[in-house]
Amino acid sequence: MSGLLDFVSLGEVLVQLNALSPGPLRYVKYFEVHVAGSEANTLVGLSKLGYNCGFISRVGDDEFGKLILNTLRGEGVDVSRVKVDAEAPTGLYFIQRHFPVPGKSTVFYYRSGSAASRMNAEDVSEEYVKGSKALFITGITPALSSSCSKAVEKAYQTAVENNIDVIFDTNVRKKLWRSLEDARMLAKYFNSKIVSTNVEDLEVFFPNLPVADAAKKIIERGCEVVVVKLGEEGSMAVTKDEIYKCEPYRVTVEDPIGAGDAFNAAFIASYYKGIPIGKALEYGNAAGALATTVRGDIEAQPTWKDLETFMQSRGKEILLR
Ligand code: KDG
């Protein structure tokens, strides 16, 4: 890949306080500290898979901001464009695990007015975006504030005007949007090269449409490949001519939060290596499965060697049609 960086992204990184014990948070006595946020998670995953990545954001001038910078830097992500904002704190969120649905987690945000939510278009350097091979954006950042929405729009327009690929994950976080109607503005990013999504998000944009038909609608907007994360059902990808389906890897789930980001990183890394889509889905499923086996979003994201070791231990479970 050419340019200074392979992938650039922007968004909020939060301190994650993950319940050590399962059950309702009011009974939880101990929490474990992690660093997470969808866009940064994906960059960390890509970095582990050998790509140069850079992040645009803000953190507070506080201990948690320092933790985030140290963590991203330690994972090999360029943080030269992450501003330290003395006027607002670093955002936090809590994770409740295995309740009320065993195997599932629930997030509780404490991020309103955070440093990252004050990011604006001026924080987005055109040169930085232009120096990359691809821009990765998700539906979370436009939901944080109108200045964040404008920052994403500037990054996106810069990429489009300079023939930089755009990769978009719909990531509709219902707790962050005032209404689903507002969230539907994200459809303007459907002409990205890769759109990654899930069944719940597709339902927001294309109510009552079967998944493959909804994905085809996105392809009609100019997208090259739509990837649909199906959770315990695996994943599928839709292009103009084909539909691919990949069975999941079954693992013992500690916390599923962050699985989609690990999936994205492995799928994107594979796609940019020229690996066929069916195999890229298989790598994505493996990375997503691994991410669910621990608390924290980035800790169990795999290297290529980890992926091969894991997949060989399971045998191949791919179905193409
Ligand atoms: O994809 C996992 C993320 O959702 C989680 O780490 C927190 O970025 C986050 C968000 O905004 O929900």
Side-chain angles (χ1 to χ4, degrees), residues 29 78 110 246-247 272 290 294 298 320:
K29 297 287 177 282
D78 178 54
Y110 292 80
C246 185
E247 294 297 307
Y272 276 84
L290 277 170
V294 300
I298 58 176
L320 288 182

Side-chain angles (χ1 to χ4, degrees), residues 97-127:
R97 297 185 300 115
H98 297 290
F99 185 88
V101 183
K104 304 276 183 220
S105 295
T106 312
V107 300
F108 298 94
Y109 298 130
Y110 292 80
R111 67 195 298 181
S112 160
S114 68
S117 74
R118 289 154 51 85
M119 184 165 50
N120 61 37
E122 279 167 30
D123 293 344
V124 177
S125 151
E126 288 179 20
E127 293 312 309

Side-chain angles (χ1 to χ4, degrees), residues 177 179-188 203-207:
W177 289 98
S179 70
L180 287 184
E181 197 41 51
D182 285 359
R184 290 196 188 100
M185 65 77 96
L186 295 170
K188 66 179 167 181
E203 191 57 33
V204 171
F205 299 104
F206 307 104

Side-chain angles (χ1 to χ4, degrees), residues 14-17 23-26 31 91-97 99-100 105-111 175-176 257:
L14 303 144
V15 163
Q16 176 193 98
L17 293 151
L25 282 197
R26 81 194 97 126
F31 293 90
L92 309 176
Y93 73 117
F94 289 79
I95 294 187
Q96 169 175 296
R97 297 185 300 115
F99 185 88
S105 295
T106 312
V107 300
F108 298 94
Y109 298 130
Y110 292 80
R111 67 195 298 181
K175 287 184 176 174
L176 296 178
I257 304 289

Side-chain angles (χ1 to χ4, degrees), residues 19 191 290 314:
N191 61 351
L290 277 170
R314 296 295 165 129

